[in-house]
Amino acid sequence: MKNHALILSLLCAACNMTVTEADESAQSNAASGQAKETSSRPAAPAADPYAFVIVPEPAGAPARAEAMLQAQVALDRAGFSPGVLDGKEGMSFTTALKGFQEARGLPTTGQYDAATAKALLGDRPQPATWLVKIPAGFANGPFFAIPKDLNDQAKLPALGYRNLLEKLAERFHTRPEALVALNAPNTKVGAGAIIRVPAIANQPVARIEGDERGWGAMLASLGVAKDQPQADHIVVDKSDGVVRAYDANNRLIAQFPATMGSQHDPLPIGTWKINGLSRNPDFHYNPDLFWDASSSDQKAVLKPGPNGPVGVVWIDLSKPHYGIHGTPEPQTIGRTESHGCIRLTNWDAARLAQMVQSGVKAVFQA
């Protein structure tokens, strides 16, 4: 969360991109075998507050050169996440390509060659981006100013999004700055507004028995399908900086970029297992477990939310105090260190959570 609010405000000011929390004409309602998406394009059932409606492209609009973003979106859809969808070629994109190539029996070059493009995009490639109308139910807050200090965060009723732009970015698997870059300088962001986004399909609010913490709604708000292929075991690979999921036939079915360990808290190499999952979890902060905690910090319980220290889900491991979890800062995945745990973007963590269950083996390797 370091300097994020400042950076975001500067970007929005520089590009004249207006951020509103809700429709200005209405009262705010602030109180309220690879992985497959369930739909290739957004649908818009009237009762679904998270359904984005696709808006036709303007007549005569020039073709958009978005080959890299198109490939990123397709990799994300196939379950081989390149992390933040921003149209930029980099380490995470190359690693995602290698995972996809391995799963499809292609040479694992990490190059976006013709054979890889054919396997990834098929005969009828989908667009890289869509113009969508922001639904009012999604645009409503509440939104929060998130303090840096964890004891101050514990005073908040939830650790939700800072603003609508941040919420939109996570829904479409990107970051606010990338959304700003995709849109015209005078683009308005609010209920009923039209905005260009990466082509990540709608997912319905999942009906889950005993869902007291709104996990079905969280999946929809992140554009993650409830139904995912089930992993027999996972591998956390420090050398490549990824979490890989395999089926019972040892076939690679998904891969996610991750941040793992540091000099102070190294990745615990070995074989562990998943003890359980906490979706939309509280975070129990114990400063005694953090080498960099302030001497004035006290134990505290932080309420759930995507901007909490562990994001939207905690996948508990048999190694005490270690887990796989989300993060409030998706752009840092693979680029910073952690306190020993394995961090994924919130949307990738949510997807992995739908693929694993208690007892699944987790191999940590260097």
PDB file of all heavy atoms in Angstrom, residues 115-139:
ATOM      1  N   ALA A 115       2.961 -21.028 -33.170  1.00  0.00           N
ATOM      2  CA  ALA A 115       2.300 -22.227 -32.645  1.00  0.00           C
ATOM      3  C   ALA A 115       1.648 -21.952 -31.301  1.00  0.00           C
ATOM      4  O   ALA A 115       0.539 -22.421 -31.024  1.00  0.00           O
ATOM      5  CB  ALA A 115       3.325 -23.361 -32.524  1.00  0.00           C
ATOM      6  N   THR A 116       2.329 -21.166 -30.464  1.00  0.00           N
ATOM      7  CA  THR A 116       1.768 -20.828 -29.163  1.00  0.00           C
ATOM      8  C   THR A 116       0.534 -19.945 -29.323  1.00  0.00           C
ATOM      9  O   THR A 116      -0.481 -20.141 -28.644  1.00  0.00           O
ATOM     10  CB  THR A 116       2.816 -20.119 -28.286  1.00  0.00           C
ATOM     11  OG1 THR A 116       3.963 -20.970 -28.150  1.00  0.00           O
ATOM     12  CG2 THR A 116       2.256 -19.806 -26.908  1.00  0.00           C
ATOM     13  N   ALA A 117       0.612 -18.966 -30.214  1.00  0.00           N
ATOM     14  CA  ALA A 117      -0.529 -18.083 -30.459  1.00  0.00           C
ATOM     15  C   ALA A 117      -1.727 -18.876 -30.960  1.00  0.00           C
ATOM     16  O   ALA A 117      -2.873 -18.620 -30.562  1.00  0.00           O
ATOM     17  CB  ALA A 117      -0.149 -16.997 -31.456  1.00  0.00           C
ATOM     18  N   LYS A 118      -1.487 -19.851 -31.846  1.00  0.00           N
ATOM     19  CA  LYS A 118      -2.566 -20.675 -32.371  1.00  0.00           C
ATOM     20  C   LYS A 118      -3.231 -21.478 -31.261  1.00  0.00           C
ATOM     21  O   LYS A 118      -4.470 -21.538 -31.165  1.00  0.00           O
ATOM     22  CB  LYS A 118      -2.011 -21.615 -33.440  1.00  0.00           C
ATOM     23  CG  LYS A 118      -3.010 -22.605 -34.010  1.00  0.00           C
ATOM     24  CD  LYS A 118      -4.074 -21.920 -34.840  1.00  0.00           C
ATOM     25  CE  LYS A 118      -4.975 -22.935 -35.524  1.00  0.00           C
ATOM     26  NZ  LYS A 118      -6.056 -22.286 -36.306  1.00  0.00           N
ATOM     27  N   ALA A 119      -2.419 -22.090 -30.400  1.00  0.00           N
ATOM     28  CA  ALA A 119      -2.968 -22.891 -29.298  1.00  0.00           C
ATOM     29  C   ALA A 119      -3.693 -22.019 -28.286  1.00  0.00           C
ATOM     30  O   ALA A 119      -4.705 -22.434 -27.700  1.00  0.00           O
ATOM     31  CB  ALA A 119      -1.851 -23.672 -28.618  1.00  0.00           C
ATOM     32  N   LEU A 120      -3.194 -20.813 -28.081  1.00  0.00           N
ATOM     33  CA  LEU A 120      -3.754 -19.930 -27.060  1.00  0.00           C
ATOM     34  C   LEU A 120      -5.025 -19.239 -27.532  1.00  0.00           C
ATOM     35  O   LEU A 120      -6.011 -19.146 -26.782  1.00  0.00           O
ATOM     36  CB  LEU A 120      -2.704 -18.875 -26.689  1.00  0.00           C
ATOM     37  CG  LEU A 120      -3.050 -17.888 -25.577  1.00  0.00           C
ATOM     38  CD1 LEU A 120      -3.306 -18.610 -24.258  1.00  0.00           C
ATOM     39  CD2 LEU A 120      -1.913 -16.876 -25.410  1.00  0.00           C
ATOM     40  N   LEU A 121      -5.025 -18.759 -28.769  1.00  0.00           N
ATOM     41  CA  LEU A 121      -6.134 -17.932 -29.255  1.00  0.00           C
ATOM     42  C   LEU A 121      -7.172 -18.714 -30.041  1.00  0.00           C
ATOM     43  O   LEU A 121      -8.324 -18.273 -30.150  1.00  0.00           O
ATOM     44  CB  LEU A 121      -5.596 -16.796 -30.125  1.00  0.00           C
ATOM     45  CG  LEU A 121      -4.579 -15.861 -29.475  1.00  0.00           C
ATOM     46  CD1 LEU A 121      -4.103 -14.822 -30.472  1.00  0.00           C
ATOM     47  CD2 LEU A 121      -5.173 -15.192 -28.236  1.00  0.00           C
ATOM     48  N   GLY A 122      -6.797 -19.855 -30.612  1.00  0.00           N
ATOM     49  CA  GLY A 122      -7.743 -20.629 -31.398  1.00  0.00           C
ATOM     50  C   GLY A 122      -8.028 -20.000 -32.739  1.00  0.00           C
ATOM     51  O   GLY A 122      -7.335 -19.080 -33.202  1.00  0.00           O
ATOM     52  N   ASP A 123      -9.091 -20.465 -33.382  1.00  0.00           N
ATOM     53  CA  ASP A 123      -9.435 -19.983 -34.716  1.00  0.00           C
ATOM     54  C   ASP A 123     -10.201 -18.670 -34.699  1.00  0.00           C
ATOM     55  O   ASP A 123     -10.237 -17.956 -35.703  1.00  0.00           O
ATOM     56  CB  ASP A 123     -10.271 -21.040 -35.452  1.00  0.00           C
ATOM     57  CG  ASP A 123      -9.491 -22.321 -35.710  1.00  0.00           C
ATOM     58  OD1 ASP A 123      -8.267 -22.217 -35.956  1.00  0.00           O
ATOM     59  OD2 ASP A 123     -10.089 -23.413 -35.646  1.00  0.00           O
ATOM     60  N   ARG A 124     -10.820 -18.358 -33.563  1.00  0.00           N
ATOM     61  CA  ARG A 124     -11.610 -17.119 -33.469  1.00  0.00           C
ATOM     62  C   ARG A 124     -11.157 -16.342 -32.229  1.00  0.00           C
ATOM     63  O   ARG A 124     -11.802 -16.358 -31.194  1.00  0.00           O
ATOM     64  CB  ARG A 124     -13.104 -17.442 -33.387  1.00  0.00           C
ATOM     65  CG  ARG A 124     -13.625 -18.220 -34.590  1.00  0.00           C
ATOM     66  CD  ARG A 124     -15.110 -18.509 -34.447  1.00  0.00           C
ATOM     67  NE  ARG A 124     -15.894 -17.288 -34.425  1.00  0.00           N
ATOM     68  CZ  ARG A 124     -17.229 -17.258 -34.243  1.00  0.00           C
ATOM     69  NH1 ARG A 124     -17.874 -18.395 -34.045  1.00  0.00           N
ATOM     70  NH2 ARG A 124     -17.875 -16.124 -34.239  1.00  0.00           N
ATOM     71  N   PRO A 125     -10.032 -15.657 -32.348  1.00  0.00           N
ATOM     72  CA  PRO A 125      -9.481 -14.941 -31.191  1.00  0.00           C
ATOM     73  C   PRO A 125     -10.461 -13.907 -30.644  1.00  0.00           C
ATOM     74  O   PRO A 125     -11.129 -13.204 -31.407  1.00  0.00           O
ATOM     75  CB  PRO A 125      -8.227 -14.265 -31.751  1.00  0.00           C
ATOM     76  CG  PRO A 125      -7.872 -15.076 -32.965  1.00  0.00           C
ATOM     77  CD  PRO A 125      -9.181 -15.533 -33.537  1.00  0.00           C
ATOM     78  N   GLN A 126     -10.528 -13.843 -29.333  1.00  0.00           N
ATOM     79  CA  GLN A 126     -11.356 -12.843 -28.694  1.00  0.00           C
ATOM     80  C   GLN A 126     -10.581 -11.543 -28.555  1.00  0.00           C
ATOM     81  O   GLN A 126      -9.344 -11.545 -28.552  1.00  0.00           O
ATOM     82  CB  GLN A 126     -11.821 -13.335 -27.324  1.00  0.00           C
ATOM     83  CG  GLN A 126     -12.740 -14.535 -27.407  1.00  0.00           C
ATOM     84  CD  GLN A 126     -13.419 -14.822 -26.082  1.00  0.00           C
ATOM     85  OE1 GLN A 126     -13.686 -13.914 -25.316  1.00  0.00           O
ATOM     86  NE2 GLN A 126     -13.693 -16.078 -25.823  1.00  0.00           N
ATOM     87  N   PRO A 127     -11.290 -10.434 -28.441  1.00  0.00           N
ATOM     88  CA  PRO A 127     -10.594  -9.143 -28.332  1.00  0.00           C
ATOM     89  C   PRO A 127      -9.820  -9.035 -27.028  1.00  0.00           C
ATOM     90  O   PRO A 127     -10.095  -9.747 -26.052  1.00  0.00           O
ATOM     91  CB  PRO A 127     -11.740  -8.123 -28.388  1.00  0.00           C
ATOM     92  CG  PRO A 127     -12.941  -8.875 -27.918  1.00  0.00           C
ATOM     93  CD  PRO A 127     -12.760 -10.271 -28.417  1.00  0.00           C
ATOM     94  N   ALA A 128      -8.870  -8.131 -27.025  1.00  0.00           N
ATOM     95  CA  ALA A 128      -8.091  -7.880 -25.810  1.00  0.00           C
ATOM     96  C   ALA A 128      -8.887  -7.070 -24.805  1.00  0.00           C
ATOM     97  O   ALA A 128      -8.746  -7.242 -23.596  1.00  0.00           O
ATOM     98  CB  ALA A 128      -6.796  -7.157 -26.162  1.00  0.00           C
ATOM     99  N   THR A 129      -9.723  -6.164 -25.313  1.00  0.00           N
ATOM    100  CA  THR A 129     -10.474  -5.265 -24.435  1.00  0.00           C
ATOM    101  C   THR A 129     -11.922  -5.166 -24.884  1.00  0.00           C
ATOM    102  O   THR A 129     -12.270  -5.481 -26.024  1.00  0.00           O
ATOM    103  CB  THR A 129      -9.863  -3.850 -24.437  1.00  0.00           C
ATOM    104  OG1 THR A 129      -9.953  -3.289 -25.770  1.00  0.00           O
ATOM    105  CG2 THR A 129      -8.412  -3.875 -23.981  1.00  0.00           C
ATOM    106  N   TRP A 130     -12.756  -4.714 -23.954  1.00  0.00           N
ATOM    107  CA  TRP A 130     -14.148  -4.401 -24.231  1.00  0.00           C
ATOM    108  C   TRP A 130     -14.461  -3.002 -23.721  1.00  0.00           C
ATOM    109  O   TRP A 130     -13.814  -2.524 -22.776  1.00  0.00           O
ATOM    110  CB  TRP A 130     -15.083  -5.353 -23.479  1.00  0.00           C
ATOM    111  CG  TRP A 130     -15.183  -6.735 -24.020  1.00  0.00           C
ATOM    112  CD1 TRP A 130     -15.288  -7.112 -25.316  1.00  0.00           C
ATOM    113  CD2 TRP A 130     -15.219  -7.955 -23.244  1.00  0.00           C
ATOM    114  NE1 TRP A 130     -15.381  -8.484 -25.411  1.00  0.00           N
ATOM    115  CE2 TRP A 130     -15.348  -9.014 -24.168  1.00  0.00           C
ATOM    116  CE3 TRP A 130     -15.170  -8.241 -21.881  1.00  0.00           C
ATOM    117  CZ2 TRP A 130     -15.419 -10.350 -23.762  1.00  0.00           C
ATOM    118  CZ3 TRP A 130     -15.232  -9.564 -21.480  1.00  0.00           C
ATOM    119  CH2 TRP A 130     -15.359 -10.605 -22.409  1.00  0.00           C
ATOM    120  N   LEU A 131     -15.465  -2.397 -24.321  1.00  0.00           N
ATOM    121  CA  LEU A 131     -16.109  -1.240 -23.714  1.00  0.00           C
ATOM    122  C   LEU A 131     -17.286  -1.769 -22.902  1.00  0.00           C
ATOM    123  O   LEU A 131     -18.108  -2.528 -23.424  1.00  0.00           O
ATOM    124  CB  LEU A 131     -16.610  -0.264 -24.775  1.00  0.00           C
ATOM    125  CG  LEU A 131     -15.558   0.566 -25.502  1.00  0.00           C
ATOM    126  CD1 LEU A 131     -16.213   1.350 -26.630  1.00  0.00           C
ATOM    127  CD2 LEU A 131     -14.845   1.510 -24.539  1.00  0.00           C
ATOM    128  N   VAL A 132     -17.365  -1.426 -21.621  1.00  0.00           N
ATOM    129  CA  VAL A 132     -18.442  -1.914 -20.777  1.00  0.00           C
ATOM    130  C   VAL A 132     -19.086  -0.760 -20.019  1.00  0.00           C
ATOM    131  O   VAL A 132     -18.466   0.284 -19.793  1.00  0.00           O
ATOM    132  CB  VAL A 132     -17.930  -2.964 -19.759  1.00  0.00           C
ATOM    133  CG1 VAL A 132     -17.407  -4.192 -20.470  1.00  0.00           C
ATOM    134  CG2 VAL A 132     -16.872  -2.368 -18.837  1.00  0.00           C
ATOM    135  N   LYS A 133     -20.331  -0.975 -19.646  1.00  0.00           N
ATOM    136  CA  LYS A 133     -21.046  -0.011 -18.805  1.00  0.00           C
ATOM    137  C   LYS A 133     -20.964  -0.482 -17.360  1.00  0.00           C
ATOM    138  O   LYS A 133     -21.243  -1.629 -17.040  1.00  0.00           O
ATOM    139  CB  LYS A 133     -22.513   0.106 -19.238  1.00  0.00           C
ATOM    140  CG  LYS A 133     -23.316   1.110 -18.421  1.00  0.00           C
ATOM    141  CD  LYS A 133     -24.761   1.194 -18.908  1.00  0.00           C
ATOM    142  CE  LYS A 133     -24.840   1.837 -20.280  1.00  0.00           C
ATOM    143  NZ  LYS A 133     -26.264   2.068 -20.685  1.00  0.00           N
ATOM    144  N   ILE A 134     -20.581   0.419 -16.476  1.00  0.00           N
ATOM    145  CA  ILE A 134     -20.384   0.073 -15.068  1.00  0.00           C
ATOM    146  C   ILE A 134     -21.749  -0.029 -14.384  1.00  0.00           C
ATOM    147  O   ILE A 134     -22.506   0.945 -14.352  1.00  0.00           O
ATOM    148  CB  ILE A 134     -19.525   1.127 -14.360  1.00  0.00           C
ATOM    149  CG1 ILE A 134     -18.161   1.240 -15.041  1.00  0.00           C
ATOM    150  CG2 ILE A 134     -19.348   0.773 -12.881  1.00  0.00           C
ATOM    151  CD1 ILE A 134     -17.327   2.398 -14.541  1.00  0.00           C
ATOM    152  N   PRO A 135     -22.098  -1.195 -13.821  1.00  0.00           N
ATOM    153  CA  PRO A 135     -23.396  -1.343 -13.145  1.00  0.00           C
ATOM    154  C   PRO A 135     -23.420  -0.597 -11.817  1.00  0.00           C
ATOM    155  O   PRO A 135     -22.409  -0.503 -11.111  1.00  0.00           O
ATOM    156  CB  PRO A 135     -23.520  -2.852 -12.930  1.00  0.00           C
ATOM    157  CG  PRO A 135     -22.128  -3.373 -12.974  1.00  0.00           C
ATOM    158  CD  PRO A 135     -21.335  -2.465 -13.858  1.00  0.00           C
ATOM    159  N   ALA A 136     -24.596  -0.076 -11.478  1.00  0.00           N
ATOM    160  CA  ALA A 136     -24.730   0.717 -10.255  1.00  0.00           C
ATOM    161  C   ALA A 136     -24.384  -0.099  -9.016  1.00  0.00           C
ATOM    162  O   ALA A 136     -23.770   0.404  -8.074  1.00  0.00           O
ATOM    163  CB  ALA A 136     -26.150   1.274 -10.150  1.00  0.00           C
ATOM    164  N   GLY A 137     -24.781  -1.382  -9.004  1.00  0.00           N
ATOM    165  CA  GLY A 137     -24.506  -2.210  -7.844  1.00  0.00           C
ATOM    166  C   GLY A 137     -23.025  -2.398  -7.593  1.00  0.00           C
ATOM    167  O   GLY A 137     -22.598  -2.539  -6.448  1.00  0.00           O
ATOM    168  N   PHE A 138     -22.243  -2.388  -8.658  1.00  0.00           N
ATOM    169  CA  PHE A 138     -20.804  -2.529  -8.522  1.00  0.00           C
ATOM    170  C   PHE A 138     -20.167  -1.201  -8.110  1.00  0.00           C
ATOM    171  O   PHE A 138     -19.204  -1.177  -7.348  1.00  0.00           O
ATOM    172  CB  PHE A 138     -20.198  -3.000  -9.846  1.00  0.00           C
ATOM    173  CG  PHE A 138     -18.732  -3.315  -9.786  1.00  0.00           C
ATOM    174  CD1 PHE A 138     -18.301  -4.596  -9.495  1.00  0.00           C
ATOM    175  CD2 PHE A 138     -17.781  -2.334 -10.033  1.00  0.00           C
ATOM    176  CE1 PHE A 138     -16.945  -4.899  -9.433  1.00  0.00           C
ATOM    177  CE2 PHE A 138     -16.423  -2.622  -9.969  1.00  0.00           C
ATOM    178  CZ  PHE A 138     -16.001  -3.905  -9.671  1.00  0.00           C
ATOM    179  N   ALA A 139     -20.722  -0.099  -8.603  1.00  0.00           N
ATOM    180  CA  ALA A 139     -20.114   1.212  -8.359  1.00  0.00           C
ATOM    181  C   ALA A 139     -20.310   1.708  -6.933  1.00  0.00           C
ATOM    182  O   ALA A 139     -19.526   2.525  -6.438  1.00  0.00           O
ATOM    183  CB  ALA A 139     -20.687   2.239  -9.342  1.00  0.00           C
TER     184      ALA A 139
END
